[in-house]
Amino acid sequence: MNLRIQSFTEYQQQYAKSVESPESFWSGIAEQFDWHKKWDKVLDWNFNDPSINWFSGAQLNITENLLDRHLKDRGDQVAFYWEPNEPSEEAKTITYRELYQEVCKLSNGMRSLGVGKGDRVCIYMPMVLESIVSILACARIGAVHSIVFAGFSATALADRINDAQAKLVITADGLNRGTKRVELKSMVDTALENCASAEHCIVLDCVHSQPAMKPGRDIDYHELIKDQSADCTAEVMNAEDLLFILYTSGSTGKPKGVVHTCGGYMVYTTYSFQNVFQYQEGDVFWCTADIGWITGHSYIVYGPLLSGATSVVFEGIPTYPDCGRFWEVCEKYKVNQFYTAPTAIRALMGEGLEVVNRSDLSSLKVIGSVGEPINEEAWIWYHENIGKKNCPVVDTWWQTETGGIMLSGLGDLSPMNPTHAGYPLPGIQPVLLDAEGKEIEENEVEGYLCVKFPWPSAIRTTYGDHDRCKNTYFSNYPGYYFTGDGAKRDSAGMYRIIGRVDDVINVSGHRFGTAEIEDAINTNEYAIESAVVGYPHDVKGQGIYAYVVVDPAKFEKEDLVKTSLIDSVSESIGRIAKPDKIQLVAGLPKTRSGKIMRRILRKIAEGEIQNFGDTSTLLDPSVVETIVQNAVK
Ligand code: WT7
């Protein structure tokens, strides 16, 4: 199926058509997939409830579109090259036919455990091919996958299993990332002490640590599949049946389960993949994300496989065994499209060009960026030294909630401008709103980035709490989807993302709510109260600065308290959320009505020690003075 736009003029024509007649635009694309039954209506929607229905009445199974469909013409084509963490370990490849067979065996195995359509399955796995098999096996039998990034703690895992009421967990004994080992199974054991819904746990042997298996609950992955048939009838799903849940952080409360559905997500991930990366038959694509994040879902698993692409899956990290690893892997597999995060680029930039120039990067055609704003310096370094000034940089802006890339250049078709994500993809209607909710027509004015018309892979609900979806995304500006980002548009119509305008921080492309980290800190015995803010960080994009009110009578050594606070965050969320800076304070700056003045704390974290703006509502100005004096540099 070739959905690739081939010139900028064609992009403009498709864009215009997608706005004038969205239904005929999207049905023309959807026609090209395999459906058991076509839709009665292409689109039925309102952003008030919200209620978004794409291809209502249609029936399909997404895995038939990404596996069965390819068997005839590309059964022996490589679907994935798997590159292990340890370069000396054997790399693996899996063809489309082999992937089909592995998925069918696991699907049958899962059905034998009584898992079926609509059941939720939590996947907590390393970056191995069996993780992808697990995802697809869920989709094949109509089970709803909920992948939890393997860097989250047992507590965070338990929260997600409970929220989704998952019936099955799929995990591995452990994983290796760089020189670090994580004992996944023991984390699952801890989590499952508090998860009544989980009846079974499938355990894959990855690091040969032979974990204890609980009889009746735990099953060895290979034992389960060994006698299963390599064919499995796919469950016929409605277009709007759930495909997956993926938890993500917001400005309040616990992470919420973003819901994506079968039909629209299938259509949009395929369309955006082929166009943004200008993927062509025979190319090798590599997205370095983890499958635990939406980038991995859409652009390691679904978009590429639906397109019949060949991709690289990498188990390790960019800095192991040294900082040349990414470039070596690019050379090894002759990667044509490379997709990574600004934080990785910034980390590697500092290591000099010797490690880059060791590898032949001449296969690269398109290089992409995702997850946070890419600063100009990193953009230029990437373009010059990785792309050798020959490859367009696609700066792709999107979100867990949008399911697919929304703003981006299309390979080498579109004009580029460093730090600008660029133009909306066909079908995407972004607007910038002012504080009153009026659409900003002028250029170069910062506004709230919203979307005024549905696209096929839009969030449908937040699992188990539709009101939360409405309140978070569809209530601030009635009639619009609100992204949480601020942005500007230039005279050429290109968008530049400024960053989050809510209490969400983006640390190395990982998204956290400040409230979520505060809650974690507040579980600590020394903590009375806390406030967390983001501050600019050279490599991570944003760092985490925590102001913690502690009772001085309770402790002697500050260092021990700080270590203990970090441990609390690691236990509640995971090491990925640990504060970079902690300041123990006697009190937080509050208004007379008791609200924490975060604006001031943000300024102090940024290194600003005066010019706090209007401080007339501040209850006790001396609190601010003390904090400034003791600020962590
Ligand atoms: C937030 C979404 C979807 C990819 C992974 C992150 C920020 C994402 C860009 C970009 C500037 C970006 C936004 C967005 N973001 N891509 N190209 N330029 N900012 O997904 O965890 O759902 O986070 O990441 O702030 O709202 P996510």
Side-chain angles (χ1 to χ4, degrees):
M1 175 185 356
N2 187 352
L3 302 174
R4 197 164 57 88
I5 296 170
Q6 308 211 9
S7 68
F8 193 65
T9 316
E10 194 190 338
Y11 157 73
Q12 289 169 316
Q13 288 160 352
Q14 283 210 15
Y15 189 81
K17 184 179 177 200
S18 77
V19 174
E20 281 151 27
S21 31
E23 298 202 24
S24 86
F25 176 78
W26 286 114
S27 67
I29 291 168
E31 290 282 352
Q32 303 184 48
F33 291 79
D34 292 341
W35 304 84
H36 283 266
K37 178 177 169 286
K38 292 273 169 69
W39 43 94
D40 305 318
K41 193 157 177 12
V42 179
L43 173 63
D44 182 16
W45 69 289
N46 75 69
F47 272 177
N48 297 323
D49 293 338
S51 158
I52 302 167
N53 297 284
W54 283 94
F55 314 113
S56 319
Q59 293 185 325
L60 77 153
N61 185 288
I62 197 167
T63 70
E64 291 179 326
N65 282 274
L66 54 78
L67 292 173
D68 310 50
R69 179 187 173 102
H70 298 317
L71 292 184
K72 199 161 115 285
D73 296 332
R74 52 176 100 244
D76 297 321
Q77 182 195 312
V78 172
F80 292 111
Y81 291 108
W82 179 76
E83 174 69 17
N85 178 58
E86 211 51 71
S88 58
E89 211 183 292
E90 201 187 337
K92 289 181 196 162
T93 59
I94 190 165
T95 64
Y96 272 90
R97 180 169 298 103
E98 289 163 343
L99 185 61
Y100 167 85
Q101 291 168 347
E102 292 301 307
V103 169
C104 287
K105 285 190 212 165
L106 184 61
S107 301
N108 289 324
M110 284 166 62
R111 275 188 178 148
S112 76
L113 297 176
V115 178
K117 184 171 179 175
D119 290 332
R120 275 81 56 213
V121 175
C122 174
I123 299 176
Y124 186 63
M125 297 271 272
M127 284 290 287
V128 293
L129 293 172
E130 289 84 352
S131 307
I132 296 172
V133 171
S134 302
I135 293 169
L136 298 177
C138 289
R140 190 149 188 101
I141 64 172
V144 178
H145 57 77
S146 164
I147 306 177
V148 176
F149 174 60
F152 281 115
S153 68
T155 309
L157 174 65
D159 286 346
R160 287 156 175 79
I161 293 172
N162 286 331
D163 188 80
Q165 288 290 292
K167 194 168 170 181
L168 172 68
V169 178
I170 309 180
T171 191
D173 52 349
L175 65 76
N176 292 316
R177 224 185 255 138
T179 53
K180 290 210 185 85
R181 161 77 62 96
V182 182
E183 303 293 340
L184 292 176
K185 174 61 165 56
S186 72
M187 306 269 261
V188 172
D189 287 338
T190 309
L192 291 187
E193 283 168 19
N194 301 307
C195 300
S197 66
E199 294 167 9
H200 291 289
C201 177
I202 300 175
V203 185
L204 177 74
D205 174 22
C206 281
V207 297
H208 317 305
S209 65
Q210 298 181 316
M213 300 287 274
K214 187 171 170 183
R217 185 192 76 186
D218 299 345
I219 309 121
D220 177 79
Y221 183 102
H222 287 288
E223 276 300 307
L224 178 70
I225 64 167
K226 92 175 177 310
D227 296 323
Q228 300 292 345
S229 158
D231 284 299
C232 170
T233 316
E235 194 74 36
V236 177
M237 307 295 284
N238 291 324
E240 285 296 345
D241 281 339
L242 271 61
L243 176 62
F244 67 85
I245 304 169
L246 182 57
Y247 286 85
T248 193
S249 300
S251 39
T252 56
K254 291 203 179 224
K256 47 193 172 294
V258 171
V259 168
H260 287 289
T261 58
C262 298
Y265 181 82
M266 170 175 81
V267 170
Y268 195 75
T269 51
T270 314
Y271 181 76
S272 54
F273 170 71
Q274 293 185 22
N275 281 301
V276 169
F277 300 104
Q278 288 289 299
Y279 183 89
Q280 298 184 44
E281 195 67 45
D283 284 348
V284 176
F285 175 77
W286 181 19
C287 165
T288 69
D290 191 284
I291 50 151
W293 310 112
I294 190 69
T295 310
H297 285 60
S298 300
Y299 301 110
I300 293 177
V301 183
Y302 288 109
L305 291 177
L306 285 158
S307 303
T310 295
S311 308
V312 174
V313 176
F314 178 41
E315 186 189 34
I317 57 169
T319 49
Y320 180 80
D322 70 23
C323 292
R325 189 71 189 277
F326 269 4
W327 322 126
E328 273 159 21
V329 175
C330 282
E331 172 177 336
K332 178 172 178 185
Y333 298 101
K334 300 197 169 45
V335 170
N336 301 111
Q337 291 90 4
F338 176 71
Y339 191 30
T340 197
T343 184
I345 299 168
R346 288 190 298 259
L348 298 178
M349 247 168 90
E351 299 299 321
L353 289 176
E354 191 264 323
V355 283
V356 177
N357 295 335
R358 245 175 17 206
S359 304
D360 174 6
L361 298 178
S362 60
S363 58
L364 290 174
K365 296 196 280 191
V366 175
I367 53 179
S369 169
V370 61
E372 52 176 312
I374 178 165
N375 49 308
E376 190 156 2
E377 197 190 348
W379 194 102
I380 291 170
W381 185 88
Y382 195 34
H383 184 243
E384 287 184 353
N385 300 301
I386 305 306
K388 317 288 181 196
K389 298 190 189 164
N390 277 323
C391 304
V393 175
V394 288
D395 177 3
T396 64
W397 175 86
W398 57 299
Q399 308 178 296
T400 305
E401 294 86 343
T402 70
I405 297 166
M406 304 285 278
L407 301 173
S408 171
L410 307 183
D412 57 355
L413 308 184
S414 323
M416 291 187 293
N417 187 353
T419 75
H420 286 66
Y423 296 100
L425 264 70
I428 308 306
Q429 298 188 36
V431 291
L432 298 176
L433 300 184
D434 65 17
E436 273 76 58
K438 279 223 321 279
E439 289 186 23
I440 299 173
E441 304 292 342
E442 308 92 287
N443 298 319
E444 301 295 351
V445 178
E446 191 176 333
Y448 299 112
L449 180 63
C450 294
V451 187
K452 70 170 171 193
F453 195 84
W455 62 100
S457 60
I459 179 174
R460 300 301 198 267
T461 188
T462 43
Y463 191 76
D465 191 351
H466 194 63
D467 277 348
R468 191 156 178 212
C469 174
K470 178 179 169 137
N471 295 334
T472 312
Y473 307 105
F474 296 94
S475 298
N476 302 46
Y477 303 104
Y480 297 92
Y481 164 78
F482 174 50
T483 64
D485 281 314
K488 277 185 192 175
R489 190 175 42 228
D490 68 12
S491 55
M494 282 192 183
Y495 286 83
R496 175 186 186 145
I497 307 298
I498 314 281
R500 301 289 305 197
V501 294
D502 53 8
D503 289 319
V504 168
I505 49 180
N506 192 325
V507 184
S508 299
H510 300 159
R511 178 171 156 185
F512 301 105
T514 51
E516 184 189 356
I517 303 175
E518 289 161 9
D519 288 345
I521 290 174
N522 297 346
T523 62
N524 185 278
E525 54 175 324
Y526 300 112
I528 296 170
E529 195 183 12
S530 60
V532 166
V533 299
Y535 70 95
H537 186 288
D538 286 348
V539 173
K540 299 178 173 186
Q542 280 187 297
I544 303 173
Y545 195 124
Y547 300 88
V548 187
V549 181
V550 287
D551 179 354
K554 273 202 185 158
F555 69 91
E556 284 169 8
K557 285 217 174 78
E558 201 171 304
D559 278 359
L560 292 181
V561 176
K562 289 187 179 178
T563 310
S564 163
L565 290 167
I566 289 176
D567 287 346
S568 294
V569 176
S570 300
E571 270 163 38
S572 295
I573 307 174
R575 290 193 62 78
I576 48 174
K578 73 182 193 341
D580 298 277
K581 295 181 181 179
I582 298 177
Q583 182 175 357
L584 305 185
V585 297
L588 296 169
K590 290 191 178 172
T591 61
R592 280 174 234 287
S593 58
K595 257 187 86 159
I596 297 172
M597 292 184 79
R598 290 171 177 282
R599 184 169 50 80
I600 295 178
L601 294 175
R602 248 180 248 128
K603 287 227 154 139
I604 298 172
E606 283 164 13
E608 173 79 61
I609 52 165
Q610 48 206 356
N611 304 326
F612 293 127
D614 180 11
T615 50
S616 58
T617 55
L618 195 57
L619 181 65
D620 177 5
S622 73
V623 168
V624 176
E625 279 158 38
T626 325
I627 294 180
V628 167
Q629 275 160 20
N630 302 313
V632 182
K633 297 271 172 345

PDB file of all heavy atoms in Angstrom, residues 387-408:
ATOM      1  N   GLY A 387      23.433  13.977   9.397  1.00  0.00           N
ATOM      2  CA  GLY A 387      22.835  14.031   8.063  1.00  0.00           C
ATOM      3  C   GLY A 387      23.783  14.528   6.985  1.00  0.00           C
ATOM      4  O   GLY A 387      23.434  14.528   5.809  1.00  0.00           O
ATOM      5  N   LYS A 388      24.998  14.954   7.376  1.00  0.00           N
ATOM      6  CA  LYS A 388      26.015  15.475   6.447  1.00  0.00           C
ATOM      7  C   LYS A 388      25.417  16.526   5.502  1.00  0.00           C
ATOM      8  O   LYS A 388      25.724  16.554   4.312  1.00  0.00           O
ATOM      9  CB  LYS A 388      26.660  14.344   5.635  1.00  0.00           C
ATOM     10  CG  LYS A 388      27.014  13.093   6.428  1.00  0.00           C
ATOM     11  CD  LYS A 388      28.207  13.306   7.363  1.00  0.00           C
ATOM     12  CE  LYS A 388      28.503  11.987   8.107  1.00  0.00           C
ATOM     13  NZ  LYS A 388      29.368  12.190   9.276  1.00  0.00           N
ATOM     14  N   LYS A 389      24.508  17.298   6.010  1.00  0.00           N
ATOM     15  CA  LYS A 389      23.800  18.363   5.274  1.00  0.00           C
ATOM     16  C   LYS A 389      22.993  17.841   4.075  1.00  0.00           C
ATOM     17  O   LYS A 389      22.518  18.624   3.265  1.00  0.00           O
ATOM     18  CB  LYS A 389      24.782  19.443   4.803  1.00  0.00           C
ATOM     19  CG  LYS A 389      25.474  20.141   5.937  1.00  0.00           C
ATOM     20  CD  LYS A 389      26.240  21.353   5.420  1.00  0.00           C
ATOM     21  CE  LYS A 389      27.113  21.913   6.526  1.00  0.00           C
ATOM     22  NZ  LYS A 389      28.137  22.803   6.060  1.00  0.00           N
ATOM     23  N   ASN A 390      22.898  16.520   3.979  1.00  0.00           N
ATOM     24  CA  ASN A 390      22.157  15.933   2.850  1.00  0.00           C
ATOM     25  C   ASN A 390      20.776  15.442   3.236  1.00  0.00           C
ATOM     26  O   ASN A 390      19.982  15.103   2.367  1.00  0.00           O
ATOM     27  CB  ASN A 390      22.909  14.705   2.313  1.00  0.00           C
ATOM     28  CG  ASN A 390      23.990  15.116   1.364  1.00  0.00           C
ATOM     29  OD1 ASN A 390      23.803  16.060   0.608  1.00  0.00           O
ATOM     30  ND2 ASN A 390      25.106  14.418   1.412  1.00  0.00           N
ATOM     31  N   CYS A 391      20.543  15.314   4.534  1.00  0.00           N
ATOM     32  CA  CYS A 391      19.278  14.702   4.968  1.00  0.00           C
ATOM     33  C   CYS A 391      18.386  15.759   5.598  1.00  0.00           C
ATOM     34  O   CYS A 391      18.832  16.496   6.475  1.00  0.00           O
ATOM     35  CB  CYS A 391      19.531  13.638   6.022  1.00  0.00           C
ATOM     36  SG  CYS A 391      20.668  12.365   5.495  1.00  0.00           S
ATOM     37  N   PRO A 392      17.139  15.797   5.201  1.00  0.00           N
ATOM     38  CA  PRO A 392      16.217  16.676   5.905  1.00  0.00           C
ATOM     39  C   PRO A 392      16.049  16.207   7.353  1.00  0.00           C
ATOM     40  O   PRO A 392      16.098  15.006   7.624  1.00  0.00           O
ATOM     41  CB  PRO A 392      14.910  16.504   5.129  1.00  0.00           C
ATOM     42  CG  PRO A 392      15.031  15.170   4.470  1.00  0.00           C
ATOM     43  CD  PRO A 392      16.486  15.003   4.160  1.00  0.00           C
ATOM     44  N   VAL A 393      15.892  17.182   8.261  1.00  0.00           N
ATOM     45  CA  VAL A 393      15.569  16.850   9.654  1.00  0.00           C
ATOM     46  C   VAL A 393      14.060  16.994   9.787  1.00  0.00           C
ATOM     47  O   VAL A 393      13.521  18.075   9.530  1.00  0.00           O
ATOM     48  CB  VAL A 393      16.257  17.830  10.631  1.00  0.00           C
ATOM     49  CG1 VAL A 393      15.810  17.562  12.064  1.00  0.00           C
ATOM     50  CG2 VAL A 393      17.768  17.743  10.511  1.00  0.00           C
ATOM     51  N   VAL A 394      13.367  15.932  10.149  1.00  0.00           N
ATOM     52  CA  VAL A 394      11.936  16.084  10.410  1.00  0.00           C
ATOM     53  C   VAL A 394      11.736  16.204  11.915  1.00  0.00           C
ATOM     54  O   VAL A 394      12.015  15.289  12.672  1.00  0.00           O
ATOM     55  CB  VAL A 394      11.066  14.958   9.778  1.00  0.00           C
ATOM     56  CG1 VAL A 394      11.011  15.117   8.262  1.00  0.00           C
ATOM     57  CG2 VAL A 394      11.552  13.557  10.127  1.00  0.00           C
ATOM     58  N   ASP A 395      11.315  17.394  12.335  1.00  0.00           N
ATOM     59  CA  ASP A 395      11.060  17.668  13.746  1.00  0.00           C
ATOM     60  C   ASP A 395       9.573  17.398  13.953  1.00  0.00           C
ATOM     61  O   ASP A 395       8.725  18.202  13.573  1.00  0.00           O
ATOM     62  CB  ASP A 395      11.437  19.127  14.031  1.00  0.00           C
ATOM     63  CG  ASP A 395      11.150  19.547  15.463  1.00  0.00           C
ATOM     64  OD1 ASP A 395      10.705  18.708  16.262  1.00  0.00           O
ATOM     65  OD2 ASP A 395      11.370  20.738  15.775  1.00  0.00           O
ATOM     66  N   THR A 396       9.269  16.240  14.526  1.00  0.00           N
ATOM     67  CA  THR A 396       7.882  15.776  14.566  1.00  0.00           C
ATOM     68  C   THR A 396       7.235  16.117  15.898  1.00  0.00           C
ATOM     69  O   THR A 396       7.668  15.634  16.942  1.00  0.00           O
ATOM     70  CB  THR A 396       7.818  14.253  14.355  1.00  0.00           C
ATOM     71  OG1 THR A 396       8.483  13.601  15.441  1.00  0.00           O
ATOM     72  CG2 THR A 396       8.500  13.852  13.049  1.00  0.00           C
ATOM     73  N   TRP A 397       6.221  16.934  15.873  1.00  0.00           N
ATOM     74  CA  TRP A 397       5.488  17.248  17.106  1.00  0.00           C
ATOM     75  C   TRP A 397       4.220  16.408  17.175  1.00  0.00           C
ATOM     76  O   TRP A 397       3.420  16.391  16.226  1.00  0.00           O
ATOM     77  CB  TRP A 397       5.087  18.732  17.171  1.00  0.00           C
ATOM     78  CG  TRP A 397       4.228  18.974  18.380  1.00  0.00           C
ATOM     79  CD1 TRP A 397       4.649  19.245  19.652  1.00  0.00           C
ATOM     80  CD2 TRP A 397       2.801  18.886  18.453  1.00  0.00           C
ATOM     81  NE1 TRP A 397       3.573  19.331  20.499  1.00  0.00           N
ATOM     82  CE2 TRP A 397       2.440  19.112  19.790  1.00  0.00           C
ATOM     83  CE3 TRP A 397       1.796  18.618  17.516  1.00  0.00           C
ATOM     84  CZ2 TRP A 397       1.104  19.104  20.222  1.00  0.00           C
ATOM     85  CZ3 TRP A 397       0.477  18.597  17.941  1.00  0.00           C
ATOM     86  CH2 TRP A 397       0.136  18.846  19.283  1.00  0.00           C
ATOM     87  N   TRP A 398       4.047  15.740  18.290  1.00  0.00           N
ATOM     88  CA  TRP A 398       2.802  15.009  18.553  1.00  0.00           C
ATOM     89  C   TRP A 398       2.769  14.596  20.004  1.00  0.00           C
ATOM     90  O   TRP A 398       3.601  15.037  20.792  1.00  0.00           O
ATOM     91  CB  TRP A 398       2.626  13.835  17.593  1.00  0.00           C
ATOM     92  CG  TRP A 398       3.719  12.809  17.550  1.00  0.00           C
ATOM     93  CD1 TRP A 398       5.021  13.021  17.198  1.00  0.00           C
ATOM     94  CD2 TRP A 398       3.609  11.415  17.856  1.00  0.00           C
ATOM     95  NE1 TRP A 398       5.717  11.843  17.255  1.00  0.00           N
ATOM     96  CE2 TRP A 398       4.882  10.843  17.660  1.00  0.00           C
ATOM     97  CE3 TRP A 398       2.566  10.584  18.257  1.00  0.00           C
ATOM     98  CZ2 TRP A 398       5.138   9.483  17.866  1.00  0.00           C
ATOM     99  CZ3 TRP A 398       2.815   9.239  18.446  1.00  0.00           C
ATOM    100  CH2 TRP A 398       4.088   8.692  18.260  1.00  0.00           C
ATOM    101  N   GLN A 399       1.809  13.792  20.402  1.00  0.00           N
ATOM    102  CA  GLN A 399       1.597  13.448  21.807  1.00  0.00           C
ATOM    103  C   GLN A 399       1.022  12.035  21.918  1.00  0.00           C
ATOM    104  O   GLN A 399       0.451  11.526  20.954  1.00  0.00           O
ATOM    105  CB  GLN A 399       0.554  14.390  22.422  1.00  0.00           C
ATOM    106  CG  GLN A 399       0.836  15.859  22.231  1.00  0.00           C
ATOM    107  CD  GLN A 399      -0.254  16.715  22.823  1.00  0.00           C
ATOM    108  OE1 GLN A 399      -1.397  16.658  22.365  1.00  0.00           O
ATOM    109  NE2 GLN A 399       0.078  17.501  23.825  1.00  0.00           N
ATOM    110  N   THR A 400       1.110  11.487  23.107  1.00  0.00           N
ATOM    111  CA  THR A 400       0.463  10.201  23.372  1.00  0.00           C
ATOM    112  C   THR A 400      -1.006  10.276  22.928  1.00  0.00           C
ATOM    113  O   THR A 400      -1.542   9.339  22.325  1.00  0.00           O
ATOM    114  CB  THR A 400       0.523   9.893  24.889  1.00  0.00           C
ATOM    115  OG1 THR A 400       1.891   9.954  25.299  1.00  0.00           O
ATOM    116  CG2 THR A 400      -0.055   8.532  25.202  1.00  0.00           C
ATOM    117  N   GLU A 401      -1.623  11.399  23.204  1.00  0.00           N
ATOM    118  CA  GLU A 401      -3.045  11.563  22.928  1.00  0.00           C
ATOM    119  C   GLU A 401      -3.361  11.674  21.436  1.00  0.00           C
ATOM    120  O   GLU A 401      -4.493  11.417  21.028  1.00  0.00           O
ATOM    121  CB  GLU A 401      -3.561  12.848  23.615  1.00  0.00           C
ATOM    122  CG  GLU A 401      -3.531  12.819  25.132  1.00  0.00           C
ATOM    123  CD  GLU A 401      -2.180  13.242  25.725  1.00  0.00           C
ATOM    124  OE1 GLU A 401      -1.165  13.257  24.995  1.00  0.00           O
ATOM    125  OE2 GLU A 401      -2.150  13.554  26.930  1.00  0.00           O
ATOM    126  N   THR A 402      -2.385  12.130  20.657  1.00  0.00           N
ATOM    127  CA  THR A 402      -2.689  12.321  19.227  1.00  0.00           C
ATOM    128  C   THR A 402      -2.443  11.041  18.428  1.00  0.00           C
ATOM    129  O   THR A 402      -2.825  10.959  17.268  1.00  0.00           O
ATOM    130  CB  THR A 402      -1.868  13.468  18.595  1.00  0.00           C
ATOM    131  OG1 THR A 402      -0.497  13.077  18.510  1.00  0.00           O
ATOM    132  CG2 THR A 402      -1.995  14.765  19.380  1.00  0.00           C
ATOM    133  N   GLY A 403      -1.768  10.071  19.031  1.00  0.00           N
ATOM    134  CA  GLY A 403      -1.577   8.761  18.396  1.00  0.00           C
ATOM    135  C   GLY A 403      -0.560   8.742  17.273  1.00  0.00           C
ATOM    136  O   GLY A 403       0.096   7.742  17.053  1.00  0.00           O
ATOM    137  N   GLY A 404      -0.455   9.841  16.547  1.00  0.00           N
ATOM    138  CA  GLY A 404       0.478   9.911  15.421  1.00  0.00           C
ATOM    139  C   GLY A 404       0.996  11.332  15.279  1.00  0.00           C
ATOM    140  O   GLY A 404       0.521  12.272  15.946  1.00  0.00           O
ATOM    141  N   ILE A 405       1.981  11.477  14.387  1.00  0.00           N
ATOM    142  CA  ILE A 405       2.640  12.765  14.149  1.00  0.00           C
ATOM    143  C   ILE A 405       1.643  13.776  13.570  1.00  0.00           C
ATOM    144  O   ILE A 405       0.909  13.467  12.630  1.00  0.00           O
ATOM    145  CB  ILE A 405       3.827  12.574  13.181  1.00  0.00           C
ATOM    146  CG1 ILE A 405       4.880  11.663  13.827  1.00  0.00           C
ATOM    147  CG2 ILE A 405       4.428  13.919  12.771  1.00  0.00           C
ATOM    148  CD1 ILE A 405       5.931  11.124  12.864  1.00  0.00           C
ATOM    149  N   MET A 406       1.636  14.983  14.132  1.00  0.00           N
ATOM    150  CA  MET A 406       0.671  16.019  13.750  1.00  0.00           C
ATOM    151  C   MET A 406       1.317  17.143  12.944  1.00  0.00           C
ATOM    152  O   MET A 406       0.757  17.642  11.982  1.00  0.00           O
ATOM    153  CB  MET A 406       0.062  16.633  15.009  1.00  0.00           C
ATOM    154  CG  MET A 406      -0.591  15.647  15.948  1.00  0.00           C
ATOM    155  SD  MET A 406      -2.170  15.056  15.346  1.00  0.00           S
ATOM    156  CE  MET A 406      -3.236  16.406  15.874  1.00  0.00           C
ATOM    157  N   LEU A 407       2.468  17.600  13.428  1.00  0.00           N
ATOM    158  CA  LEU A 407       3.183  18.693  12.757  1.00  0.00           C
ATOM    159  C   LEU A 407       4.573  18.193  12.423  1.00  0.00           C
ATOM    160  O   LEU A 407       5.266  17.665  13.296  1.00  0.00           O
ATOM    161  CB  LEU A 407       3.338  19.895  13.701  1.00  0.00           C
ATOM    162  CG  LEU A 407       2.095  20.547  14.286  1.00  0.00           C
ATOM    163  CD1 LEU A 407       2.504  21.593  15.330  1.00  0.00           C
ATOM    164  CD2 LEU A 407       1.267  21.213  13.189  1.00  0.00           C
ATOM    165  N   SER A 408       4.972  18.358  11.171  1.00  0.00           N
ATOM    166  CA  SER A 408       6.298  17.886  10.765  1.00  0.00           C
ATOM    167  C   SER A 408       6.520  18.186   9.294  1.00  0.00           C
ATOM    168  O   SER A 408       5.567  18.315   8.533  1.00  0.00           O
ATOM    169  CB  SER A 408       6.386  16.369  10.959  1.00  0.00           C
ATOM    170  OG  SER A 408       7.564  15.857  10.386  1.00  0.00           O
TER     171      SER A 408
END
